[in-house]
Amino acid sequence: MADPSSGQAPAQDARSRAAAIVARMTLDEKIQLIHGLFPPMAKGKTQNELIPSAGHIDGIPHLGVPLIRESDASLGVANQVEQRKGDVATALPSSLATAASFDPAIARAGGAMIGAEARAKRFSVLLAGGVNLTRDPWNGRNFEYLGEDPLLSGTMAGAHIAGVQSNRIVSTIKHFALNSQETGRTVADARIDEAALRMSDLLAFEIAIETGKPGSVMCAYNKVNGDWACENAHLLSDVLKRDWGYRGWVMSDWGAVHSSAKAANAGLDQESGQELDQAIYFADALKADIAAGRVPMARLDDMVTRYLTGLIETGAYDAPASAAQPIPYDAHAEVAQRAAEAGIVLLKNDGDLLPLARTAKRIVLIGGHADVGVLSGGGSSQVRSVGGAPVEIPLTHGAASSFARVTWHASSPLLAIRAAMPQAQVTWIDGHDSAAAAAAAKAADVAIIFATQWTTEAQDVPDLSLPDHQNDLIAAVAAAQPKTIAVMETGGPVLMPWRAAVPAILQAWYPGQRGGLAIANILTGRVNPSGRLPITFPASTAQAPRAAPVGFDQLTAVEAQAAADPAHAGDHQLASFPIDYTEGADVGYRWYEKTHAAPLFPFGHGLSYTRFAYRIPVVTGGAKLSISFDVVNTGRVAGSDVPQVYVAREGSSAPMRLAAFRRVTLKPGEATRVTLVAEPRILADYDTALPGWRVAGGRYRVALAHDAQDRSVILTTTVDAATMKP
């Protein structure tokens, strides 16, 4: 039963009510609801106001069906190239930063905040809920997702979605499925076997859908095992709707529809942003398919019923977001700042260089535009943030050039550190001249380098090196100043050839609109760092399952051909190509364990200004696997820890898997007893012969760990054999 205070209706009641409304519709009214407009290209196609945004679906007033407006995305109410002049919103840190908190409460609070702003701006659908697993470290969109582990990603995404929908609007979950790289995303064919897919990417979606109950699922651009994701009957009908019992609607990504009858019969319920497809498939074309019997009327009724069910269940149907409301931006900024502070990861802190000593009198900041703000990721998730005009650099070429700008939120680390350390002289130089930067560092007591790597939707990074000779800059500064700190504002992992020479490294991700203040609070000790890596940092690109983005060379060649032949640029297109995910379910840290590779920093790693110990662990088996233990703060300051439990069957060659985790906050000397229960599907393997999940009975190894490589505490227990439905 749904919580009455949430505005959400029980699923069965919502479905019955939706079906009754559909029964009163004409054919044209049904068709009207299953294709949506892309407002920037839809002028004159509706009599209702078109708000420049992602999507618009007219309602049916005489039946009470509301008009629905849709906005990007997971990090706030997007306004990518300021299509709504002067409109601002609160910008969360990147989703990887939220995932690094390992705290569902942080994810839910962020979702609730951006959902409230979406509703206040008259949007009833927020295109949030990105949960694609990080299979490759150079994916341009990794910053929008929640890391490489299905349990962590699914748990955090579910909390975020629930937060969004607490505002009686719909959140999507996306991109279903295996949209794991941006290079060639509209032509790539992601190939993987069924069991591996169920145990990795699909498990993340399954957990998030169970816990978040999103009103809509967005299918992806790419193919999966030969069929486009938005006309993939196995994914949409067999897995999502039959096996998982999903009742909401499947919407396409913008420009991801390739057919009418095949897509509808496969399980696609709504064509989104119709102007971006090669044709409008779910209007006259689908109507003709119905008349010809290629698509049953019952299927059309189901499509519309699912759309209305998603709206009714979330409360968006009965309380449409029709009137603009004031927004408490100051309170919302606090939510963004807390998320940033909880997600910043202290990777290294030799000699306890951090927090900054109050005795430091001369501090120089170098590079990264730290004088003006903090970097953000590009693409459809770009938020034009509150708090001052952002610094923007338009793109001149590339797949993202039409909708992305390199953008710094106006939250200056320089100003924040000056305010936090008034006793010190804090200066900044741009770092363009390595020799000048080294000289400035040598003259200071401490040097803080801000290293940046901009990533964006629609294109992957060509490699994992910091751009613009920043590695040389860091090496030069570290050689001149032994007290050098590197603050990394990146979309994901980067290589650090200078790691040994830099005593302190802080992974700040894209820290959002209060990022400068969050970084300053961590550096100065006002906030104790508590983030943990949700993604493995490789020591070299050779350690990853693929040494470079698949299709990148082909794309570069096509772009060169188009540039050389501008009159016929449209004739030069990237051909479809396969991506074989041979690592299967062994994504991320599991791959590193399987291949015996030592990463730069492991999944789950993160340091603190205090220390934590795990004591008196007791593991139990049987029908479920659980472990109880004391967490003790053995240091001198309060802090948060994230105990992690990894499991594997004895005698199996499979890598250990994250089966449970919890964030715990303790005062100095404080202890608490924690019990963690392993997620059954993590213990299990997917058996296509059942079909379903099969837990092999027998002995299991259980690691109580600080990160994915920690094997300092290993226990064993016996688990009963069991099977579970898919």
Side-chain angles (χ1 to χ4, degrees), residues 271-292:
E271 178 182 17
S272 305
Q274 62 182 27
E275 288 77 16
L276 296 179
D277 286 319
Q278 292 184 348
I280 298 175
Y281 293 103
F282 274 20
D284 291 342
L286 186 59
K287 189 174 180 180
D289 287 332
I290 293 167

Side-chain angles (χ1 to χ4, degrees), residues 475-507:
V477 169
Q481 173 53 262
K483 294 183 177 180
T484 292
I485 300 159
V487 176
M488 313 301 293
E489 296 177 29
T490 66
V494 294
L495 301 179
M496 302 180 189
W498 36 262
R499 173 192 173 182
V502 176
I505 306 171
L506 200 67
Q507 180 62 41

Side-chain angles (χ1 to χ4, degrees), residues 501-518:
V502 176
I505 306 171
L506 200 67
Q507 180 62 41
W509 315 104
Y510 300 143
Q513 76 170 52
R514 283 267 187 100
L517 185 56

